[in-house]
Amino acid sequence: MPHVQFLRYYGEALVLDAERARLVASNIANSDTPGYKARDIDFRNALQARLQDPARPPRVEYRQGLPVGLDGNDVSLPYESVAAARNARRTAATLKFLDQSTQGLIQALRPQSNGG
Amino acid sequence: MSQPGIYEISGSALLAQRQRLQTIASNLANANSITSAGGAPYRAREVVFRAVPASASDPSGPETVRVTGTVQSRAPFRQSYDPGSPFANKRGYVVGSNVSRVRQMTDLIDASRSYAANVAMLRQAQRIDQQIISGF
């Protein structure tokens, strides 16, 4: 069904949001682990790749340019908090858009009282 | 996706940081411990964290934290001159623990900050989950 293509778009975006939230949680959880390197995914590229091939897992990359501590850990708590907040906002926005755009569809599918 | 979620990842960090706090509490509690001559004085302990991939099939993905063990400090023991004490050795010194209070306090601040960051992450995950549920 080509007209419900947007459902897949929102679905893939939500899957990526969840994966990013997990990675940020992992970064914050490991902020004191020696040798741990903060990681994330490039949302735009990952979304394009997933829309073409949903079976492929998103490519995880290491954060670049952050100061590395003496124990080899480069997690920055303020940076990760901002990333988490931004990701949460985006997830909420995607959910809102998805809800709004499906409401019309559901309305159209619902049988009308006048027999239409 | 049946991967371990934020709850498992942040939960493992809360457990690990709590163990770290317990070790700091033990160190601070024993900072003034002394031993009789020839005994083994208290050594400051420190936990060792290690990152463990949350799912075995995805080693580059999110990782949980695990405490792999504790190490004991090799710093020199504190000695105070008190020849009258029944715990003094032949030269009149009482040997105490090698706990550095300043180090333990900074460690304590760092541990509680990390703990708070993980709690904040859990709260946020909960908020998002609630939004997803209320969308239906």
Side-chain angles (χ1 to χ4, degrees), chain B residues 44-95:
Chain B
R45 276 136 227 224
E46 206 174 344
V47 290
V48 182
F49 288 169
R50 199 164 68 93
V52 180
S55 68
S57 59
D58 185 16
S60 71
E63 296 191 288
T64 58
V65 201
R66 209 168 287 167
V67 176
T68 50
T70 50
V71 286
Q72 297 197 342
S73 163
R74 280 194 296 248
F77 294 111
R78 197 165 32 78
Q79 299 193 338
S80 51
Y81 187 64
D82 186 6
S85 165
F87 297 102
N89 59 17
K90 278 186 194 123
R91 289 182 298 127
Y93 283 97
V94 177
V95 181

Side-chain angles (χ1 to χ4, degrees), chain B:
Chain B
M1 290 215 279
S2 62
Q3 284 178 16
I6 296 172
Y7 298 100
E8 279 83 359
I9 295 164
S10 292
S12 76
L14 290 183
L15 276 177
Q17 296 292 350
R18 214 176 69 140
Q19 233 169 314
R20 184 176 169 201
L21 286 169
Q22 279 169 347
T23 314
I24 294 168
S26 156
N27 289 341
L28 283 173
N30 283 292
N32 280 325
S33 298
I34 53 168
T35 46
S36 51
Y42 182 85
R43 284 176 185 275
R45 276 136 227 224
E46 206 174 344
V47 290
V48 182
F49 288 169
R50 199 164 68 93
V52 180
S55 68
S57 59
D58 185 16
S60 71
E63 296 191 288
T64 58
V65 201
R66 209 168 287 167
V67 176
T68 50
T70 50
V71 286
Q72 297 197 342
S73 163
R74 280 194 296 248
F77 294 111
R78 197 165 32 78
Q79 299 193 338
S80 51
Y81 187 64
D82 186 6
S85 165
F87 297 102
N89 59 17
K90 278 186 194 123
R91 289 182 298 127
Y93 283 97
V94 177
V95 181
S97 72
N98 64 354
V99 175
S100 154
R101 276 203 198 75
V102 176
R103 230 202 106 129
Q104 296 302 321
M105 287 313 286
T106 51
D107 216 22
L108 178 66
I109 293 166
D110 192 45
S112 52
R113 205 172 80 109
S114 299
Y115 195 92
N118 282 294
V119 171
M121 195 67 219
L122 276 178
R123 283 227 182 93
Q124 199 174 58
Q126 215 173 5
R127 260 205 310 276
I128 290 289
D129 282 358
Q130 233 145 36
Q131 260 167 354
I132 291 173
I133 294 165
S134 67
F136 293 104

Side-chain angles (χ1 to χ4, degrees), chain A residues 16-18 20-21 43 82-92, chain B residues 128:
Chain A
L16 282 178
D17 278 339
R20 273 199 85 192
F43 189 83
V82 172
R86 194 177 283 161
N87 198 46
R89 276 281 123 228
R90 204 204 347 249
T91 312
Chain B
I128 290 289

